[in-house]
Amino acid sequence: MGPDPKDIAAAASALRDGKLVAFATETVYGLGANACDGQAVARIYEAKGRPSFNPLIVHLPSAEEAIRLGRFNSDALKLADSFWPGPLTIVVERADDCPVSELASAGLSSLAIRVPGRESARELLRLAGCPVAAPSANISGQISPTTAQHVMAGLGDRIWGVVDGGRCEVGLESTIVSCLGDTPVILRPGGVSREVIEEALGRPVLLQTGSTNDPISPGQLASHYAPNAAVRLNAKEARPGEAYLAFGKREPEADIIRNLSPSKDLREAAANLFAMLHTLDMLGADSIAVAPIPDEGLGVAINDRLARAAAPRD
Ligand code: AMP
Ligand code: MG
């Protein structure tokens, strides 16, 4: 028996309001937030206590709606047609008008998209009326939950609630396939096997092994976003020619300034981080000086990403 329709409707309305809602899918329980609302997405990282922003899977109620968010090549379309709804996640380039917050894809130009198999999950997504970003509903580093009781034990006091759909039948994460290059690459094995994928596509696919930096196809699998501009951290002032990324009311002299959060709200800063780095890049900054960000709560993940952006390039 599925969840009560009244509970699904209440959960959908909470999602629309920017709250965190855990819900059953056929793979594992997801921790959902409105993917178009950066601050709602920031709450996911906050609740999970993730030390870094990694890109999240965005969930849609139908293939038709999912396909609007990205640029689906013929392989991606075949996969969507063969496996959706179901435990397969497809990575494609974002569509030009994709409304999903950049925080949900951790600044990447690609997006991981899935249409879950569980009817109650799709009903929730339909009623919510927005793409829903949802990693597994567990505290970072703990195992993925396959019952509502698991979710409540870990995250109960940090979320609006959970749509209880009983035990997840697959119990394994979705298979993730990247369709960014000429040959599809399985980034993570999961609920759909390589053989079944190859049969649907009528040709072999690659399987990513080892570290995410393995150059299966150069440039295809960039594991994180880095701005073109150089990044200088813990900067109280901007040097001549530098753009400045502020945090808090104090803004030093600089030609180009963006402010992550004038009120020093880390959730707001997280929601703005990638979009503002992109903007400063687009405006042609050679170098971006970044204000000190407190290393607590979401600040840990913000600083992790900034440190990667500031690291020397390979
Ligand atoms: P989880 O948050 O546990 O559901 O895991 C999501 C997985 O999807 C992680 O392994 C991410 O690295 C992967 N992922 C999400 N978005 C992308 C993307 N745009 N490109 C490559 N991998 C992605
Ligand atoms: Mg997980």
Side-chain angles (χ1 to χ4, degrees):
M1 212 188 68
D4 189 314
K6 277 208 287 288
D7 292 342
I8 297 183
S13 135
L15 278 173
R16 274 199 304 276
D17 289 346
K19 304 211 166 86
L20 294 182
V21 175
F23 61 101
T25 78
E26 74 281 21
T27 58
V28 300
Y29 274 75
L31 178 59
N34 179 348
C36 300
D37 176 343
Q39 297 211 32
V41 176
R43 286 196 178 96
I44 292 180
Y45 295 103
E46 200 175 16
K48 286 186 66 105
R50 275 194 175 173
S52 181
F53 297 128
N54 43 356
L56 306 174
I57 297 170
V58 172
H59 297 71
L60 277 301
S62 69
E64 203 185 333
E65 282 163 89
I67 284 165
R68 282 194 216 127
L69 293 184
R71 288 190 230 144
F72 282 68
N73 62 19
S74 60
D75 286 321
L77 287 173
K78 256 189 224 165
L79 291 174
D81 194 46
S82 307
F83 299 107
W84 282 352
L88 185 87
T89 295
I90 306 176
V91 175
V92 292
E93 286 297 332
R94 282 171 174 252
D96 287 337
D97 58 353
C98 178
V100 171
S101 152
E102 291 195 40
L103 183 60
S105 56
L108 295 175
S109 61
S110 57
L111 197 62
I113 308 176
R114 182 165 100 86
V115 178
R118 266 289 177 105
E119 170 53 33
S120 63
R122 290 201 306 282
E123 180 63 7
L124 174 68
L125 296 168
R126 259 192 298 274
L127 294 176
C130 56
V132 171
S136 55
N138 52 277
I139 288 176
S140 183
Q142 299 186 359
I143 55 166
S144 298
T146 51
T147 67
Q149 288 72 31
H150 294 162
V151 176
M152 289 311 283
L155 292 174
D157 55 352
R158 304 181 188 193
I159 63 178
W160 175 85
V162 53
V163 180
D164 188 346
R167 187 171 290 279
C168 305
E169 58 270 27
V170 176
L172 258 185
E173 264 93 0
S174 61
T175 302
I176 303 179
V177 182
S178 163
C179 291
L180 297 176
D182 292 337
T183 304
V185 182
I186 297 180
L187 302 181
R188 176 177 80 184
V192 177
S193 73
R194 178 182 188 166
E195 290 71 25
V196 178
I197 290 170
E198 291 184 333
E199 195 171 323
L201 291 177
R203 66 185 179 114
V205 298
L206 294 168
L207 180 63
Q208 182 183 294
T209 52
S211 103
T212 47
N213 296 322
D214 279 359
I216 285 178
S217 165
Q220 181 180 348
L221 297 173
S223 59
H224 67 88
Y225 163 71
N228 294 315
V231 174
R232 191 166 66 83
L233 303 179
N234 292 314
K236 299 228 165 74
E237 310 294 335
R239 293 176 185 155
E242 272 184 336
Y244 192 78
L245 190 57
F247 179 76
K249 286 216 171 55
R250 213 185 67 83
E251 294 185 358
E253 279 295 303
D255 289 341
I256 316 175
I257 298 188
R258 288 292 180 279
N259 200 322
L260 288 170
S261 173
S263 64
K264 295 200 167 187
D265 176 344
L266 286 168
R267 207 178 274 160
E268 182 184 21
N272 284 330
L273 178 67
F274 294 107
M276 287 187 175
L277 287 172
H278 272 134
T279 303
L280 293 176
D281 245 359
M282 255 160 34
L283 293 173
D286 289 334
S287 171
I288 304 170
V290 186
I293 314 283
D295 210 30
E296 64 197 28
L298 274 175
V300 175
I302 295 175
N303 283 325
D304 169 81
R305 281 293 149 164
L306 286 169
R308 290 174 200 236
R313 308 290 151 76
D314 313 327

